[in-house]
Amino acid sequence: MSVTLKEYSQEELAAQPIGSWTGEAYRHVVGALRAQLAVEGLTQPHWWTLNHVAGEPGRWTRATLIERLAKYEDLGIDFDGVFDDLVARGWLTEDAGLMTLTEAGEDGRLRARERNARVHRQMHEGVDTADFVTTVNVLRRMVANLGGDGNLPD
């Protein structure tokens, strides 16, 4: 589904409000990802939890995972409620406070991963990898210039 964009001069593009365009990109990208996760009854914090626990089974407690993920959450979601939901679904267990995915949890994570991959493929249509990398590096620099952390997440 390749979309044709109108051509503009460098001067016209350089004069564009970056905040407006990054906000528009955020709303569309995150909206598409959230819509796909919702098909599985998941939110982004569910998705983040599943991936962290899958990546390092037995490492995460509620407190350490909340500390790690809270900076990415923008909806005021109660992480304990997310964890409780995953436990109630049978997707996550806690033994001595340490989280582990169940087989059902891994199956759900893989389904959600494929849904997110579809969004990523659609988002990258017509975007050269070098252009994508340049865009990420430009945004990283802007974030750092304004006092934020321009490094990639751990």
Side-chain angles (χ1 to χ4, degrees):
M1 173 172 96
S2 185
V3 177
T4 303
L5 297 175
K6 184 177 174 183
E7 294 292 323
Y8 295 95
S9 70
Q10 274 197 319
E11 294 78 22
E12 288 174 297
L13 292 169
Q16 288 296 298
I18 193 68
S20 177
W21 283 107
T22 56
E24 187 73 2
Y26 172 83
R27 286 185 292 279
H28 282 276
V29 171
V30 173
L33 291 169
R34 287 177 177 168
Q36 286 300 309
L37 290 170
V39 172
E40 295 288 336
L42 302 173
T43 63
Q44 280 185 301
H46 283 93
W47 172 241
W48 301 331
T49 299
L50 293 169
N51 280 304
H52 277 75
V53 174
E56 296 182 80
R59 173 183 182 234
W60 300 103
T61 65
R62 286 177 181 243
T64 58
L65 200 49
I66 290 170
E67 181 180 332
R68 171 72 174 101
L69 299 178
K71 67 181 178 179
Y72 301 109
E73 198 281 309
D74 65 348
L75 297 174
I77 292 176
D78 169 32
F79 278 100
D80 281 315
V82 169
F83 304 150
D84 291 343
D85 179 61
L86 291 170
V87 170
R89 290 175 191 231
W91 287 22
L92 183 71
T93 61
E94 292 178 280
D95 184 25
L98 297 174
M99 299 178 182
T100 304
L101 286 189
T102 65
E103 187 175 326
E106 179 62 6
D107 290 346
R109 187 185 75 82
L110 292 175
R111 286 192 310 273
R113 183 176 72 179
E114 179 50 38
R115 291 181 177 289
N116 282 346
R118 282 185 234 146
V119 172
H120 285 273
R121 286 190 298 272
Q122 181 182 6
M123 178 179 51
H124 283 263
E125 281 184 30
V127 178
D128 183 76
T129 299
D131 290 340
F132 184 85
V133 169
T134 297
T135 300
V136 170
N137 279 327
V138 167
L139 292 171
R140 290 178 55 226
R141 171 53 53 202
M142 289 178 172
V143 166
N145 287 349
L146 295 172
D149 182 357
N151 294 315
L152 298 179
D154 297 330

